[in-house]
Amino acid sequence: MRHPLRENIEISDASGTDTICCRRCGFQYCRADQDWREFCKSRLLPSHNAGDLMSLLDGQYLLRQLYCPSCAALVDTDFVEKQQQDTGGT
Amino acid sequence: MAVNPIVSSVDPITFEILSHRVYQIAKEMGSTLERVGGTVNTTQMHDYMASLYLANGDVLSAGDAMGWHVACAGFAVKRIIERFENDGGINPDDIFLLNDPYVAAIHQSDVYMISPIHFNAKLMGWSATFVHVMDIGAMSPGGNSPGATEISHEGVRIPGIKLIERERMRRDVFDAITNMTRQPVHALFEQFGPELVTAVSREMLNYSESILRKRIAEIPDGTWSETGSIHAGDTWNVHVTLNKRGERLLFDFTGSSPQAKKGINLPYHATFGACYEAILSTMAYDLPKNHGALNPIEVIAPPGTVVNSIPPAPVSLNTTSGGSTAKFVANAVITQMLATSEKWRGEVMALNVGHRLARHAGVNQHGNYYVSTLSEGALDGTGARSYRDGDDTGDGLSSHNIEWLEANFPLLYLFRRNIKGGGGAGKYRGGAGSESALTVHDAPEGKIKGVALGVAGLRNSGQGLFGGYPGAPSLLMLTEGARVEETIAEDMSPDQLDDLGGRSSLLPYCEFDLGRNDVLYMRMASGGGYGDPLEREPQRVLRDVEDGVVSRQEVRDIYGVAIDGDEPALNLGATEKLRAGLRKERLQEKI
């Protein structure tokens, strides 16, 4: 049985236990009770990488993206405070 | 909670006829209000509400009104009942007025007019309307006061007064209101009898509640959370956790910031109304809008926070700050919840929280003092959905007509257009949003006063969804000493700000002066994208280029699409290579 979590991620019990998987390539991120974000490939980029009009946020926020480690599907994009990243916060 | 079976005591045909008739009455109330309105907020922005309530104040029918105000007006009706039932009485033809945010309203500018509906001398229900009035005696013209630190600075507070008493009615002034609200309901009672109308009213609530509970129950149980930020000098957070268990939804705002000494705060009923509106617009948009859709939800908001402020915390700026953010986070957690349901995931869309606008006041070209609104905020780009792009301009409200505005106020628009490069990238692109610029023109005093409103979070102004990029945030900017008149005198169009020179500064919540050769630039938030931009059909990207809403750089670096030549043409072979390269780059970066 499968049910979606978001656009490119789903929960599947194909392997016998509920597992969070990539909907594009089937990569298994983790068990359903774990945080799939911790198993993604991630990048922190300057805010203007989201477009020139985002340069307003440069210096204050970073663009964080999470990808499937296998097929590089983009699963999450968000702004995070630069200061938190600089001081090791989450 | 057990819900009565649908339409248990009324035959289905009678139920359909009467329930739609009640809805039509509420809808006509709104139309009439719009036609007799005297401000741009009512006549052009649709910033009003007209609804019917049961005798106990529960929502009976919301017409086409905003759910936020529908819920708050329900609180207002209940407060009027408590206050007047045994002291002053509630009589046929009474009309009550209420605008106290710590009783039921959202901020003082939102004035509720509430009238009981009697039939054969028995109280059968209530009609309630709200409009945003243009002045309420606050520090700043227009009622939204950036300098207020407590509610006493924000204008008159009326916790409920009997404006029209049965024997002292000013019919010449108020006939329009009384005719629009009560007479159609009287006709309904006369034609069908109060017993049947009451039974149908009860069934309407049961109908909405039972279907909504069934829908909620079909979704997997879970917990979802979201935080939105309000940037207004300092930063305040609105945090919500949605707990879904069985057929109940609990919105818990624990973890939100303490209330502010700035008018961004929401009273509890406004936070509750934000959650109600989120439900109405996502899971119940096709159901009769009434109290039944409100019963499955519970809202916890700790007192003393920005989502349940206590006096004397000011509130006048809250619709564009705390309110926008509470609605945003409430919708965001519902979106996350719906995405886990195969049946509902198609309904989700990226959200927008960047609502901004400005009031303007002064002496107009006809020699009259005025206060009015620049309702550009209605021109936000909406977020993308799971199956299509967002709308390039479109919001819950409407914007004013430029020709009408220039004919009535001493202002001249330099341009109003869609933004290039604003919409969040994604498999489906966020709406482009809009940008406008205007200056004073033919102003007897050479300048007017402005009040800039709304800074509900640069970070999540137009949030992307499931990999989609965020949309560009909204902003207001004042450029002083620009070459506007000189450019026009040269028969040139002053439509490029960079060419006009002058000194520019961003406007937070503040008052400002707009004089000759000053330019007010208003950029409205663009919508967030949905999904991975590398999955967007190249043909759609080409159309975006042709429409002038994405830049060539975005096309190459974010969408990975190769478009050649001055006459844009797709190069699919190069696109494939470009996208493969971008995917490789994603995985090569260090974690």
Side-chain angles (χ1 to χ4, degrees):
Chain A
M1 194 184 114
R2 297 163 183 267
H3 85 77
L5 262 187
R6 41 176 58 213
E7 175 67 10
N8 276 327
I9 298 181
E10 65 183 5
I11 293 180
S12 166
D13 63 0
S15 61
T17 54
D18 283 353
T19 307
I20 297 177
C21 304
C22 176
R23 284 169 75 98
R24 289 184 79 233
C25 71
F27 173 80
Q28 296 187 352
Y29 285 91
C30 57
R31 294 193 316 269
D33 60 355
Q34 292 177 292
D35 185 356
W36 56 268
R37 291 172 184 79
E38 295 173 9
F39 298 86
C40 292
K41 199 86 174 171
S42 76
R43 278 201 304 179
L44 287 171
L45 303 162
S47 296
H48 66 254
N49 278 49
D52 284 346
L53 299 179
M54 292 297 183
S55 57
L56 187 69
L57 305 185
D58 277 341
Q60 197 179 352
Y61 292 100
L62 292 168
L63 186 71
R64 180 179 61 189
Q65 297 199 312
L66 303 180
Y67 312 106
C68 167
S70 172
C71 70
L74 175 61
V75 291
D76 197 58
T77 299
D78 194 13
F79 281 123
V80 292
E81 287 186 41
K82 185 170 187 298
Q83 196 177 10
Q84 277 192 331
Q85 296 301 317
D86 292 345
T87 56
T90 56
Chain B
M1 190 181 97
V3 179
N4 293 335
I6 298 170
V7 193
S8 59
S9 60
V10 183
D11 76 84
I13 294 172
T14 303
F15 173 78
E16 285 295 317
I17 291 170
L18 287 190
S19 61
H20 282 83
R21 185 150 167 184
V22 169
Y23 167 72
Q24 190 61 31
I25 290 170
K27 200 172 153 74
E28 284 178 20
M29 287 166 59
S31 300
T32 308
L33 191 60
E34 187 172 321
R35 287 178 187 155
V36 301
T39 69
V40 65
N41 289 57
T42 304
T43 59
Q44 295 193 46
M45 285 177 67
H46 300 98
D47 188 7
Y48 62 76
M49 188 274 320
S51 298
L52 292 169
Y53 296 82
L54 297 176
N56 68 357
D58 284 354
V59 185
L60 171 60
S61 186
D64 290 337
M66 287 183 280
W68 200 22
H69 280 291
V70 172
C72 291
F75 280 96
V77 172
K78 288 174 192 280
R79 296 295 92 79
I80 293 294
I81 295 170
E82 288 166 10
R83 194 178 182 93
F84 289 91
E85 194 171 27
N86 300 311
D87 182 10
I90 297 168
N91 307 307
D93 293 338
D94 286 348
I95 296 181
F96 300 87
L97 187 149
L98 184 151
N99 81 329
D100 188 338
Y102 285 112
V103 174
I106 294 174
H107 56 179
Q108 284 102 311
S109 301
D110 293 343
V111 175
Y112 295 108
M113 300 279 277
I114 296 163
S115 183
I117 299 166
H118 289 79
F119 186 73
N120 290 340
K122 186 181 176 191
L123 179 65
M124 303 300 295
W126 296 82
S127 68
T129 63
F130 124 79
V131 294
H132 182 112
V133 301
M134 285 321 311
D135 207 78
I136 202 74
M139 287 172 68
S140 301
N144 311 95
S145 304
T149 56
E150 57 182 72
I151 194 163
S152 59
H153 303 156
E154 297 179 309
V156 62
R157 272 169 78 185
I158 302 170
I161 58 169
K162 192 179 284 191
L163 187 65
I164 307 297
E165 182 119 33
R166 182 165 46 183
E167 295 180 359
R168 290 187 288 125
M169 181 174 283
R170 295 274 312 277
R171 283 203 176 270
D172 56 339
V173 179
F174 289 99
D175 267 357
I177 298 169
T178 56
N179 287 343
M180 84 181 177
T181 56
R182 292 199 301 281
Q183 297 309 324
V185 184
H186 279 171
L188 191 71
F189 285 125
E190 280 163 7
Q191 185 177 353
F192 294 98
E195 295 79 13
L196 181 57
V197 174
T198 302
V200 170
S201 300
R202 199 180 308 118
E203 294 305 338
M204 286 171 66
L205 271 60
N206 284 341
Y207 176 81
S208 293
E209 181 171 349
S210 58
I211 291 186
L212 181 58
R213 283 185 185 277
K214 184 167 174 282
R215 289 177 179 178
I216 295 170
E218 287 171 354
I219 296 170
D221 285 355
T223 301
W224 302 270
S225 61
E226 184 62 81
T227 302
S229 301
I230 305 166
H231 299 291
D234 291 324
T235 298
W236 291 266
N237 289 323
V238 176
H239 180 76
V240 71
T241 300
L242 172 64
N243 273 295
K244 188 263 156 187
R245 296 285 178 271
E247 55 182 29
R248 299 274 307 160
L249 297 175
L250 169 63
F251 295 86
D252 186 350
F253 286 82
T254 301
S256 297
S257 296
Q259 65 187 40
K261 283 193 172 181
K262 206 173 186 71
I264 62 170
N265 306 291
L266 281 188
Y268 172 81
H269 46 266
T271 300
F272 186 94
C275 298
Y276 178 57
E277 182 171 294
I279 292 291
L280 285 185
S281 59
T282 52
M283 300 187 72
Y285 56 83
D286 56 338
L287 299 179
K289 295 173 188 170
N290 58 42
H291 213 83
L294 188 149
N295 283 334
I297 69 173
E298 184 182 347
V299 177
I300 295 173
T305 64
V306 286
V307 288
N308 185 3
S309 58
I310 52 179
V315 298
S316 67
L317 309 172
N318 63 12
T319 52
T320 55
S321 52
S324 300
T325 311
K327 288 189 210 177
F328 167 73
V329 296
N331 276 289
V333 288
I334 291 174
T335 292
Q336 292 175 45
M337 177 183 77
L338 295 181
T340 68
S341 161
E342 201 62 69
K343 179 177 174 183
W344 285 93
R345 60 190 292 262
E347 299 285 340
V348 305
M349 69 180 285
L351 301 166
N352 199 327
V353 71
H355 192 74
R356 304 209 62 181
L357 47 80
R359 310 280 180 220
H360 56 112
V363 178
N364 68 7
Q365 60 268 51
H366 311 298
N368 301 316
Y369 181 80
Y370 77 92
V371 182
S372 193
T373 302
L374 293 169
S375 57
E376 309 296 311
L379 301 175
D380 288 344
T382 65
R385 292 175 174 271
S386 57
Y387 57 92
R388 73 169 178 87
D389 292 347
D391 296 322
D392 285 335
T393 47
D395 195 300
L397 300 172
S398 305
S399 186
H400 56 263
N401 174 287
I402 288 179
E403 304 300 334
W404 171 87
L405 183 126
E406 291 178 341
N408 286 281
F409 305 111
L411 293 167
L412 175 71
Y413 268 76
L414 308 183
F415 57 80
R416 183 195 262 180
R417 61 196 177 204
N418 284 134
I419 302 169
K420 186 172 193 172
K427 179 179 177 181
Y428 295 102
R429 176 180 56 74
S434 69
E435 57 181 358
S436 307
L438 47 86
T439 188
V440 293
H441 177 69
D442 200 11
E445 296 183 345
K447 66 175 182 178
I448 61 165
K449 173 77 75 182
V451 182
L453 301 174
V455 274
L458 289 172
R459 169 188 169 188
N460 44 19
S461 196
Q463 194 178 53
L465 196 60
F466 304 157
Y469 282 49
S474 54
L475 60 87
L476 302 184
M477 184 172 75
L478 178 67
T479 301
E480 296 172 280
R483 290 189 299 276
V484 179
E485 293 179 352
E486 188 182 321
T487 304
I488 293 172
E490 292 169 354
D491 282 339
M492 303 287 286
S493 176
D495 60 359
Q496 300 297 323
L497 285 186
D498 290 346
D499 296 342
L500 297 177
R503 304 171 303 281
S504 297
S505 54
L506 293 178
L507 299 175
Y509 279 114
C510 65
E511 294 185 15
F512 62 94
D513 287 335
L514 188 70
R516 287 178 60 185
N517 285 315
D518 294 345
V519 176
L520 174 64
Y521 172 73
M522 308 178 76
R523 191 173 86 199
M524 297 302 117
S526 308
Y530 181 98
D532 189 344
L534 296 187
E535 294 179 23
R536 184 166 177 79
E537 291 172 19
Q539 198 64 39
R540 287 178 182 270
V541 179
L542 176 65
R543 199 180 314 139
D544 291 340
V545 171
E546 291 168 342
D547 290 345
V549 292
V550 298
S551 68
R552 290 290 183 103
Q553 186 183 349
E554 268 185 286
V555 167
R556 187 183 61 246
D557 296 348
I558 297 177
Y559 288 104
V561 173
I563 292 180
D564 302 331
D566 292 336
E567 292 292 324
L570 268 181
N571 183 333
L572 289 176
T575 295
E576 205 171 312
K577 284 181 190 162
L578 200 50
R579 288 186 163 181
L582 287 171
R583 286 200 171 94
K584 198 172 168 188
E585 204 174 283
R586 288 174 174 181
L587 297 183
Q588 281 173 345
E589 289 283 330
K590 191 181 169 188
I591 293 178

